[in-house]
Amino acid sequence: MDRFVFLTIDGLSRGAVYAAFALALVLIWRAARVVNFAQGAMAVAAAYVAYTVSTTTGSYWLGFAVAIVAGLLLGALVDRVVMRHVDHASHLNPVIVALGLVLLIQAVLGMVYGNEFRPAEAPFSRSALTVGGVAVLSPYDLFVFATIGVVVSGLAWMFARTPVGLRMRAAAFAPEVSRLLGVNVGGMLTLGWALASGVGALAAMLVMPTELGLHPHAMDLVFVSAFTAAVVGGLDSPPGAVVGGLVVGLLLSYVSGYAGSDLTPLAVLVLLLAVLLVRPGGLFAPVAARRV
Amino acid sequence: MSATRAALPPKHRPADTGDRPVDRRLGSTLLRHLAVVLAVGLLLVAVSYAVEPFRNFQLATVAAYLCATAGLTVLTGLNGQLSLGHGALMATGAYTVALCQNAFADRGMTGGWLLPLSLGAAIVSTVAVGAVVGVAAARLRGPYLAGVTLAVAIVVPALAVTFDGVFNGEQGLSVPVEPPPLSLGPYFPYERWQLWLTGAATLLALLLLANLIRSRYGRSFRAVRDDEVAARLAGIHVARTQVLAFVVSAATAGLGGALLAVLAQSVSPGAFSLTLSLFLLMAVVIGGLGRLTGALWGAVLLVALPDLTHSVTELLTLSPAVAQRLEGNLPLAIFGLTLIVVMIAAPGGVQGLLSRLGRGLLARWSARRS
């Protein structure tokens, strides 16, 4: 029972990070109809910037802040310099360009920092506090939950209640009409990319200390898990992404706890296939009309 | 100038040659392809005698990659299905060959027919895996398909580590291969034999692919890519066509992986990482989607680029650590950058550029004659 409680909490903590990462995917999908396969690599790049800042200044929190700023800037840069110029007529094109970005970013990181693992420090203790003899949350878990909670509710508030959020939704939903009504559609798209990339960078900062550490490929598997989370929830639904993230986190935690950590990639693949074959739109998407 | 430009076909033609009307004067497609394959085969034999052993080995590697990129061209370029998991399919073929060859060696069996048997087994096993993934793929679209195949690319190497009793974990397996037959003479260079082997297998695969592309099936592949609804209305079974395309490309990927394993005489999960899958896609896109000749450019690039960056880093006087970092990563960076630039500036790839150039020259030449 103790083990089950521990695995559940560990899974929820991991799941919160997947949720944030999946949310970043959903943000770009809703704004630009692109699944950003380069999200993981972009987040790793931001984490490396944070690593440099943290090691030179000695301050974790300065690095943390810089990571998010770097993520925001990188997202805007990728949209302005690359994605904007891609022909979106075929859905293959943006995916292929994003994969090119993955190679480029990982190679540049490898050239600058080398391909070895670097330790990623956690700002709080990762050993669990015990309540009534049962190990439950670690301070770091609490930090993860709080940060993700703030970000998710902040984004929800922004989209639902602020003029910028309204414009972003309008630009994604009906670009031509929005343009006629004076919305800067291109600017909204860039903002969407920046926000998504910032959230991705934050998620990378949170997940790195619990994984092997900093490495150009550190986010490959995390990306697949987050993609699965986004698909479980339906790529169009931000609440779905959060629920999907928690589901995937729990699944991975139970599988690695009871069956061995080597099997977690396989579990992700099985879940992804199962969801796609049974309900391709995700669990939260409205049932779409059949085409033929 | 405007007159020559008007003579050119419309710019936004789908990027493939398969839609060209067949030239009747040259006889049947099969005979024409056979003639080309024979000519290329003879050329390869001549080249294998003319160049040094290392170049032979490199050409053999190009041939092995070409097998995989040609299959991926059929899948992505002609059928419009994006696969990031072809590295995993190559791994399936490679491990099958390794297991078969080891089993033969353990039983003390020898003979020239064993390797073709192992290669056949590799094709059969990848066809099985490809059929499973293909059935799922036929129900998925765009980014979903990319995501699933990405997961496959990450999972398969991990499986080799999980079941290390069979696959020997990160270490991988060795692939015992017999020396060239004695009838070729006692001093026949091993690399030349490797080139002959892989060249023959790849040419056979290419011949089959080229004929498939020109057949009824090839036309349904393209019809499904261009408009699924229209294809369905025309009586094409869309899902079946997509599964067929996936299975065909899986078979060639498996053969390519198996050949690569035979060339390296070893197989390990590290050789079939996600990066290889991405590389294959890059090669196909940079070479030119939808043309088998594009797949050739891609395969050449896959072998030549690391070699080229190696020579460049050797020219620069760098500390060993820096040189090592550059050598592993510079080809990746160049590939990624080229890919982005090609997708934005020249979606037809190298082959598209070349044929546009050729067509322009031809148009100018015929304009001067008239």
Side-chain angles (χ1 to χ4, degrees):
Chain A
M1 192 59 203
D2 287 8
R3 189 160 170 73
F4 181 77
V5 170
F6 170 75
L7 288 177
T8 305
I9 288 170
D10 183 52
L12 287 177
S13 158
R14 270 209 251 178
V17 177
Y18 295 150
F21 213 67
L23 196 62
L25 283 174
V26 169
L27 280 179
I28 295 184
W29 174 256
R30 278 165 63 108
R33 293 283 132 185
V34 171
V35 174
N36 182 18
F37 279 83
Q39 182 127 52
M42 287 160 68
V44 173
Y48 267 107
V49 174
Y51 170 81
T52 310
V53 171
S54 285
T55 43
T56 46
T57 63
S59 158
Y60 174 85
W61 295 109
L62 192 60
F64 193 82
V66 166
I68 294 171
V69 173
L72 289 168
L73 290 179
L74 190 59
L77 192 74
V78 164
D79 177 51
R80 284 281 159 163
V81 176
V82 181
M83 284 299 172
R84 180 147 305 184
H85 307 288
V86 178
D87 177 15
H88 282 57
S90 160
H91 62 252
L92 291 183
N93 297 358
V95 174
I96 293 174
V97 170
L99 293 170
L101 271 178
V102 172
L103 277 184
L104 181 62
I105 292 173
Q106 288 180 344
V108 169
L109 290 177
M111 281 191 271
V112 177
Y113 293 96
N115 277 347
E116 60 268 5
F117 282 96
R118 284 168 191 276
E121 57 169 328
F124 298 103
S125 158
R126 290 195 58 225
S127 51
L129 304 169
T130 48
V131 177
V134 178
V136 277
L137 281 171
S138 72
Y140 187 68
D141 288 336
L142 278 175
F143 169 63
V144 169
F145 284 134
T147 316
I148 304 280
V150 167
V151 169
V152 170
S153 41
L155 282 175
W157 173 78
M158 196 199 91
F159 276 102
R161 296 291 159 90
T162 63
V164 176
L166 180 65
R167 280 194 211 110
M168 283 182 73
R169 281 187 293 152
F173 185 71
E176 293 306 319
V177 178
S178 313
R179 196 167 282 131
L180 286 176
L181 291 174
V183 174
N184 179 0
V185 173
M188 290 301 127
L189 202 57
T190 309
L191 185 60
W193 272 89
L195 277 179
S197 170
V199 174
L202 175 80
M205 288 304 287
L206 292 179
V207 81
M208 289 291 185
T210 66
E211 304 272 325
L212 287 168
L214 207 51
H215 185 267
H217 289 272
M219 295 298 275
D220 284 1
L221 192 55
V222 176
F223 175 82
V224 172
S225 306
F227 178 77
T228 309
V231 168
V232 168
L235 273 176
D236 259 322
S237 156
V242 173
V243 175
L246 296 178
V247 168
V248 171
L250 283 175
L251 175 85
L252 291 193
S253 179
Y254 293 143
V255 168
S256 73
Y258 290 120
S261 59
D262 287 343
L263 286 177
T264 49
L266 193 62
V268 173
L269 177 66
V270 170
L271 176 68
L272 180 58
L273 271 178
V275 171
L276 280 175
L277 292 181
V278 176
R279 238 187 118 87
L283 304 180
F284 284 74
V287 176
R290 286 188 59 149
R291 236 183 359 169
V292 177
Chain B
M1 189 58 210
S2 63
T4 47
R5 186 157 295 166
L8 293 175
K11 220 178 162 188
H12 287 287
R13 223 162 136 256
D16 64 321
T17 50
D19 291 339
R20 266 192 326 216
V22 179
D23 197 337
R24 295 283 168 206
R25 283 168 304 176
L26 288 173
S28 85
T29 315
L30 179 63
L31 280 180
R32 199 152 36 88
H33 287 161
L34 260 179
V36 172
V37 162
L38 269 180
V40 174
L42 287 176
L43 185 71
L44 261 189
V45 171
V47 167
S48 74
Y49 278 99
V51 297
E52 54 188 305
F54 179 62
R55 297 287 167 212
N56 269 328
F57 179 77
Q58 279 191 316
L59 279 174
T61 316
V62 169
Y65 276 125
L66 177 56
C67 232
T69 51
L72 193 56
T73 298
V74 170
L75 183 72
T76 305
L78 295 180
N79 198 222
Q81 300 190 75
L82 186 64
S83 168
L84 310 180
H86 265 50
L89 292 170
M90 288 180 81
T92 310
Y95 271 101
T96 309
V97 147
L99 291 174
C100 284
Q101 289 293 96
N102 278 318
F104 291 145
D106 287 346
R107 285 178 183 76
M109 294 158 81
T110 52
W113 51 275
L114 288 176
L115 188 61
L117 204 64
S118 302
L119 292 177
I123 293 176
V124 170
S125 70
T126 31
V127 161
V129 174
V132 173
V133 183
V135 167
R139 297 189 55 179
L140 303 177
R141 297 289 166 272
Y144 292 111
L145 178 56
V148 169
T149 48
L150 179 75
V152 170
I154 288 188
V155 166
V156 168
L159 281 185
V161 181
T162 309
F163 299 101
D164 56 356
V166 186
F167 302 119
N168 200 19
E170 296 280 0
Q171 291 278 306
L173 301 166
S174 68
V175 183
V177 185
E178 290 190 32
L182 279 176
S183 53
L184 288 170
Y187 300 112
F188 195 79
Y190 189 64
E191 285 82 2
R192 191 180 297 157
W193 173 239
Q194 286 182 316
L195 175 58
W196 286 18
L197 266 180
T198 47
T202 301
L203 281 177
L204 189 63
L206 284 182
L207 178 68
L208 295 177
L209 279 183
N211 279 304
L212 183 78
I213 290 173
R214 284 302 184 86
S215 73
R216 187 164 66 86
Y217 295 107
R219 282 193 297 279
S220 5
F221 285 177
R222 289 190 287 277
V224 167
R225 172 198 66 191
D226 291 339
D227 193 333
E228 274 186 33
V229 178
R232 194 161 298 169
L233 288 175
I236 294 171
H237 196 304
V238 170
R240 204 179 292 160
T241 310
Q242 285 175 324
V243 174
L244 179 70
F246 210 100
V247 166
V248 167
S249 84
T252 51
L255 180 61
L259 292 175
L260 220 50
V262 169
L263 285 179
Q265 299 189 28
S266 72
V267 46
S268 64
F272 298 97
S273 60
L274 174 64
T275 310
L276 174 67
S277 295
L278 295 188
F279 258 27
L280 291 176
L281 184 72
M282 320 276 112
V284 169
V285 170
I286 293 173
L289 271 178
R291 296 170 163 93
L292 283 184
T293 30
L296 175 63
W297 294 119
V300 170
L301 219 56
L302 277 181
V303 176
L305 197 55
D307 199 40
L308 215 63
T309 43
H310 176 74
S311 341
V312 169
T313 44
E314 267 192 346
L315 279 180
L316 307 169
T317 41
L318 298 165
S319 70
V322 176
Q324 199 193 351
R325 261 185 209 179
L326 277 186
E327 211 176 297
N329 289 306
L330 199 56
L332 291 172
I334 295 175
F335 251 123
L337 194 61
T338 320
L339 189 79
I340 297 167
V341 172
V342 164
M343 279 314 284
I344 291 174
V350 173
Q351 187 55 33
L353 278 180
L354 282 181
S355 57
R356 207 186 304 163
L357 208 68
R359 241 182 278 142
L361 286 177
L362 199 71
R364 191 169 295 174
W365 179 70
S366 56
R368 197 182 297 161
R369 270 212 327 176
S370 60

